[in-house]
């Protein structure tokens, strides 16, 4: 983030940000990460405990459990940006190889497109529905199309200008959306009943599958930030205390208890007063919210839709453009952002009006996150075994089309990290249990409980450490203090060779 004006277009791609331009603070990371989740999309996730049949209090317990666990998993991923001055996908070169780092790039690419689509759809639906109830706007495909288009183009413009403008938008979004959610206390205080019992009680066969499933859906929200958290933290100086950086990432997710609680509480009201909107077979949280809202709250609903859609959309699409430019260096960050943004907009319209993918995209997002969680564990354990030491120049070998360096390993692939990810992600997908959407071959082994994320996290951690022990990495990839927990080998490292012109 340079010292230029707010509307100066950011030119940096994934190359290391110069120290002179790294003047962001941990609180800026908090604003962007919290702002990106302080939206209707998170409220929809907050409604899932009620959709699963839990009581309000059991739903709140599942929400807190998932949120704290997810925040703890996410927080260490904030350290790579300040340390290496680049995004997390590039930093993963140290553990998956300079070619293997494309795993992180495509995980963040797919996750961002999925969440960008969910954000535009949910916010557009809320805006059109609120305007229909408030001023009689026709509830037609044309109205939805215009709303989606406005959202998507505004988001694309912000992302083209870059990090400074995105940070400005999120500063406004965090305060405004939080205030509007708090207004919901007054809007729904008379209807809210914390003693809402739900349909599933402790002792029922479905209680624990419902409780664990709800917690894992909440946990998936913080995990979804893992692949591109470094997109924002790379502007924080390397000298910033690591505890403060991790605290910013951790607290940004704990703060999302606000939209999660809003979704949980309003879903319990909807289940009582307009139960047809929380039918698990065809849930419509936004429609239910508008059905139970007092008339004066329609304007705040529309504002939350507008502000939240901008915030989530920018945090998703910015990272998408950045990662695409890193995989295809011929594209500048701006060119990649415009290209991916345009494709995403086309996907949003086709998915909504031609293919009816609005339900399928949430399943797709869940599966991508299931694959991202093991990658995050490998990154964290890699950081621990390397004692937080990295060679920033060797990390950029792929982007510069060079060969060799500390992280070249076997022709640019580190099969220790890559192998651990492939096995753990594949096994985790086999344990996915999303009834009516996707059930893996082993999805029913735990009595209907979706244990895909715990399996992926545990197998990735164990297998990666075993592979590091059996096949030690070269001594050159560690700092002067040497490795932690594992041993190294005296394997020669090829020098960095410039590309042939």
């Amino acid at each position: 983030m340079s010292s230029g004006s707010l509307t100066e277009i950011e030119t940096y791609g994934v190359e290391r940000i110069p120290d002179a331009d790294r003047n962001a603070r941990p609180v800026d990371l908090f604003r962007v990460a919290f702002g990106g989740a302080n939206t209707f999309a998170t409220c929809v996730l907050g409604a899932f405990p009620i959709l699963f049949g839990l009581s309000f209090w059991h739903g709140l317990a599942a929400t807190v459990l998932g949120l704290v666990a997810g925040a703890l998993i996410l927080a260490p991923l904030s350290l790579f940006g300040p340390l290496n001055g680049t995004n997390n996908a590039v930093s993963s070169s140290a553990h998956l190889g300079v070619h293997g780092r494309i795993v992180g790039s495509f995980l963040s690419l797919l996750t961002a497109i999925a969440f960008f689509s969910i954000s535009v759809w949910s916010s557009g639906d809320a805006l059109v529905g609120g305007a229909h109830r408030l001023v009689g706007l026709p509830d037609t495909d044309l109205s939805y199309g215009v709303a989606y288009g406005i959202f998507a183009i505004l988001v694309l413009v912000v992302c083209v200008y870059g990090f400074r403008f995105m940070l400005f938008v999120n500063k406004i979004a965090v305060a405004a959306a939080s205030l509007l959610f708090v207004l919901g206390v007054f809007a729904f205080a008379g209807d809210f009943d914390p003693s809402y019992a739900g349909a599933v009680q402790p002792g029922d066969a479905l209680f624990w599958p419902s409780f664990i499933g709800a917690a894992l859906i909440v946990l998936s929200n913080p995990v979804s930030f893992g692949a591109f958290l470094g997109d924002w933290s790379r502007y924080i100086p390397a000298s910033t205390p690591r505890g403060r950086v991790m605290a910013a990432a951790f607290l940004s997710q704990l703060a999302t208890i606000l939209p999660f609680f809003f979704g949980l509480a309003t879903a319990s009201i909807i289940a009582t007063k307009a139960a047809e909107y929380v039918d698990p077979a065809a849930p419509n949280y936004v429609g239910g919210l508008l059905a139970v809202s007092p008339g004066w709250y329609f304007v705040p609903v529309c504002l939350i839709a507008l502000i939240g859609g901008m915030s989530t959309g920018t945090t998703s699409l910015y990272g998408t453009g950045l990662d695409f430019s890193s995989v295809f260096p011929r594209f500048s960050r701006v060119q990649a952002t415009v290209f991916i943004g345009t494709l995403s907009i086309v996907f949003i319209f086709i998915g909504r009006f031609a293919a009816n993918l609005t339900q399928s995209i949430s399943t797709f997002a869940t599966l991508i996150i299931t694959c991202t969680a093991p990658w995050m564990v490998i990154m964290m354990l890699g950081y621990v075994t390397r004692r937080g030491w990295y060679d920033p120049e060797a990390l950029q070998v792929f982007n510069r089309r060079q060969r060799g360096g500390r992280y070249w390993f076997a022709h640019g692939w580190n099969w220790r990290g890559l192998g651990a990810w492939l096995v753990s992600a594949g096994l985790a997908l086999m344990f996915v249990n999303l009834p009516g959407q996707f059930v893996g071959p082993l999805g029913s082994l735990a009595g209907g409980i979706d244990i895909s994320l715990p399996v992926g996290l545990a197998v990735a951690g164990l297998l990666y450490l075993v592979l590091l022990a059996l096949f030690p990495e070269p001594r050159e990839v560690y700092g002067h203090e040497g490795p932690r927990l594992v041993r190294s080998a005296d394997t020669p490292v090829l020098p960095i060779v410039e590309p042939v012109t």
Side-chain angles (χ1 to χ4, degrees), residues 141-157:
D141 283 350
L142 177 61
S143 298
Y144 286 110
V146 171
Y148 298 154
I150 291 173
F151 271 127
I153 292 172
L154 287 175
V155 166
L156 182 57
V157 169

Side-chain angles (χ1 to χ4, degrees), residues 40-240:
F40 259 133
T42 305
C43 295
V44 173
L45 295 179
F48 269 89
I50 302 300
L51 295 177
F52 285 1
L54 297 177
S55 70
F56 170 78
W57 289 111
H58 289 141
L60 182 60
T63 299
V64 172
L65 174 63
L67 202 53
V68 172
L72 287 172
I73 295 171
L74 176 69
L77 271 293
S78 64
L79 296 176
F80 293 94
L83 189 62
N84 297 323
T86 187
N87 69 348
N88 283 357
V90 172
S91 292
S92 73
S93 300
H95 308 298
L96 278 75
V98 298
H99 291 156
R101 49 70 47 106
I102 63 173
V103 170
S105 292
F106 279 103
L107 285 175
S108 63
L109 178 73
L110 296 174
T111 302
I113 291 176
F115 276 84
F116 178 49
S117 302
I118 292 171
S119 172
V120 171
W121 284 331
S122 61
S123 296
D125 289 350
L127 185 62
V128 172
H132 174 71
R133 294 284 298 275
L134 189 63
V135 298
L137 179 74
D139 191 6
T140 63
D141 283 350
L142 177 61
S143 298
Y144 286 110
V146 171
Y148 298 154
I150 291 173
F151 271 127
I153 292 172
L154 287 175
V155 166
L156 182 57
V157 169
V158 173
C159 291
V160 165
Y161 277 103
F163 181 76
R164 179 180 284 275
F165 201 8
M166 184 177 69
L167 184 59
F168 172 74
V169 169
N170 276 274
K171 283 181 179 179
I172 298 174
V174 166
S178 298
L179 176 61
L180 294 169
F181 281 130
V182 171
L183 277 178
V185 173
F186 301 98
F188 300 107
D191 296 322
F192 174 57
D193 181 8
S195 64
Y196 171 76
V200 179
Q201 300 297 322
D204 294 348
L206 290 176
F207 177 77
W208 284 112
S210 300
F211 184 89
I212 299 299
L216 289 177
I217 284 179
V218 174
L219 182 146
S220 71
N221 200 54
V223 169
S224 70
F225 286 93
F228 45 83
L229 193 62
D231 299 348
W232 319 316
S233 65
R234 67 197 180 116
Y235 278 98
I236 298 175
S239 59
T240 306

